[in-house]
Amino acid sequence: MSLLLTQSVNLLGALLLLLAFAMISQRRILSLIHLFTLQGAALVVATATVGYVTQQPHLYLSAAITFVLKVLLIPYLLHRVIERLDVRWDVETLINIPTTMLIGILLVIFAFNLALPIAQLSSSIARGSLGIALACVLLSFLMMITRSKAVPQVIGFLSMENGLFFAATAATYGMPMVVELGIALDVLIGVLILGVFMFQIREQFDSLDIHHLERLKDV
């Protein structure tokens, strides 16, 4: 039974990785939000599964907080933002999608090779999850640096935090609850601040392209 649950954690980690790949190849902001919501749901199930296997009750609370924050509240706020800004359709990319996917594959290979020596020393239930988590973080970072619009960059930042949270949950059975609550609050405040930031960019430049901010250098 424990082996089955361990394999389930690895399977959910693989799902997180596939969703990260889907996000870097997605051109529509609305679809990006849906993929982020699915990633949050997979993270909730993975956290609850680790809590069941390791008999760590605080992980159930972590799963509940993640569900409220990553599956309900933040996607709702992002939907409100794109409705107000009317930017729910095509996303411009700095690098074409096939090249981005190729770079993503190379980053995954790099992440697994980097995490392999550490994973071999681990005694956690899902040693392979460290490579998956690192790959998710790198793919999210890739999405942030290859998008010229502010909204996809915010989603990339949130997806990166998902990867870090999965690493902490699967590799070390979660962080102290005070730390988790602090991170959750920081993420929520960060989303609210970035929402205000995006409204200001739109008001000043009638666009969410962050390259317009270069005009402020001479001001």
Side-chain angles (χ1 to χ4, degrees):
M1 184 67 177
S2 178
L3 178 60
L4 178 61
L5 291 172
T6 299
Q7 292 175 342
S8 299
V9 173
N10 286 324
L11 179 62
L12 290 166
L15 178 59
L16 287 173
L17 185 58
L18 287 175
L19 289 170
F21 258 112
M23 290 170 74
I24 66 173
S25 65
Q26 186 55 244
R27 292 182 177 272
R28 296 180 181 274
I29 296 179
L30 195 59
S31 298
L32 274 177
I33 297 176
H34 292 159
L35 290 170
F36 170 75
T37 305
L38 289 175
Q39 195 178 57
L43 186 61
V44 168
V45 178
T47 304
T49 303
V50 174
Y52 179 79
V53 174
T54 61
Q55 299 298 311
Q56 301 280 344
H58 75 276
L59 289 178
Y60 293 116
L61 181 57
S62 297
I65 293 173
T66 302
F67 178 77
V68 172
L69 198 62
K70 301 289 184 66
V71 180
L72 299 179
L73 185 56
I74 291 179
Y76 170 76
L77 293 175
L78 290 173
H79 276 289
R80 290 292 303 272
V81 167
I82 64 171
E83 286 175 2
R84 291 282 302 274
L85 297 175
D86 194 24
V87 289
R88 66 185 66 183
W89 302 115
D90 290 340
V91 178
E92 297 178 6
T93 57
L94 301 178
I95 305 176
N96 61 62
I97 297 300
T99 303
T100 303
M101 295 295 289
L102 179 60
I103 296 174
I105 293 173
L106 295 176
L107 287 176
V108 171
I109 296 173
F110 171 76
F112 275 90
N113 280 282
L114 182 64
L116 183 60
I118 303 174
Q120 290 176 342
L121 299 175
S122 175
S123 60
S124 63
I125 63 170
R127 294 185 295 176
S129 62
L130 184 59
I132 294 174
L134 181 58
C136 289
V137 170
L138 292 178
L139 289 176
S140 300
F141 183 70
L142 176 65
M143 185 173 74
M144 290 178 64
I145 65 177
T146 57
R147 301 302 173 100
S148 60
K149 302 294 184 182
V151 177
Q153 291 185 344
V154 172
I155 297 174
F157 166 75
L158 294 171
S159 179
M160 183 184 298
E161 199 272 336
N162 282 346
L164 293 172
F165 189 88
F166 178 70
T169 300
T172 65
Y173 305 149
M175 298 170 286
M177 185 53 59
V178 173
V179 177
E180 293 183 8
L181 290 173
I183 292 175
L185 181 61
D186 288 343
V187 169
L188 180 58
I189 293 175
V191 170
L192 295 175
I193 292 174
L194 288 170
V196 174
F197 175 66
M198 285 185 286
F199 278 112
Q200 291 296 323
I201 296 176
R202 183 61 176 265
E203 182 179 349
Q204 293 294 324
F205 303 110
D206 195 30
S207 172
L208 285 179
D209 193 330
I210 60 173
H211 291 107
H212 290 300
L213 295 178
E214 295 178 359
R215 299 179 186 175
L216 299 178
K217 291 190 299 184
D218 298 328
V219 177

